[in-house]
Amino acid sequence: MATRSTAEKREDAAKREDAMEQHAVKPKLKPEPVSRLRMNEDGGLDRLIYERVRLGIMSALATNEELTFNELKALFDVSDGNLGAHARKLEEAGYIACAKSFEARRPKSRYRITQVGRKALLKYLEHIEAVIKATRRN
């Protein structure tokens, strides 16, 4: 069997790199815009708030000036990753704000509801109340 030259090996390596680049998932440079209020066709139900943990976070923050990550975690008995993912979605939508700091060399995240978040929560609750009233009438 004949040995390949260094030039041939380099050419093959370059072809492999090109093929890998074509199939690689390229990261998005800008996050996709998130609409402020996520309504379904009837204009009432905000699907972002609908999920149990996110509705809990929004409700807890609506009745408290601010809560820490650990306080929210204890309220809903969820894992760090689960709570972090839900909080991040609400933060990206502008519904909650997070202030991060350090206390005794430990990270501390404090969350509060925004005006946009409060309006979205009130609109969601109004929709749910209307559904309940309609159900009771029938």
Side-chain angles (χ1 to χ4, degrees):
M1 182 164 125
T3 59
R4 297 176 359 174
S5 70
T6 304
E8 289 173 322
K9 290 178 185 176
R10 285 186 189 143
E11 188 176 315
D12 285 347
K15 285 180 186 176
R16 280 193 304 276
E17 280 183 31
D18 287 344
M20 287 172 57
E21 280 182 22
Q22 288 176 355
H23 297 293
V25 176
K26 295 186 175 49
K28 294 178 183 175
L29 297 178
K30 271 201 240 179
E32 292 181 24
V34 178
S35 66
R36 288 288 187 196
L37 296 176
R38 288 158 189 77
M39 301 293 174
N40 65 4
E41 311 78 50
D42 66 76
L45 184 63
D46 187 335
R47 300 295 296 176
L48 182 68
I49 297 175
Y50 178 75
E51 202 287 329
R52 179 187 72 88
V53 175
R54 291 193 290 263
L55 177 58
I57 292 169
M58 295 289 288
S59 300
L61 292 174
T63 58
N64 292 281
E65 189 172 321
E66 75 175 23
L67 291 170
T68 66
F69 184 88
N70 288 333
E71 289 168 334
L72 288 170
K73 184 179 166 194
L75 277 175
F76 306 112
D77 192 31
V78 293
S79 68
D80 288 2
N82 193 310
L83 179 62
H86 288 300
R88 193 172 317 108
K89 285 185 181 192
L90 292 170
E91 191 176 3
E92 287 171 356
Y95 288 179
I96 65 172
C98 178
K100 296 183 183 245
S101 62
F102 284 89
E103 221 171 79
R105 299 174 59 115
R106 298 184 133 212
K108 190 160 200 164
S109 298
R110 291 176 177 16
Y111 294 92
R112 64 176 180 75
I113 194 166
T114 64
Q115 284 298 83
V116 171
R118 191 172 302 279
K119 286 179 185 175
L121 178 61
L122 291 176
K123 188 164 181 102
Y124 175 85
L125 294 174
E126 287 170 2
H127 178 79
I128 296 300
E129 287 172 355
V131 169
I132 292 169
K133 285 179 185 174
T135 304
R136 286 191 175 148
R137 275 186 239 141
N138 295 336

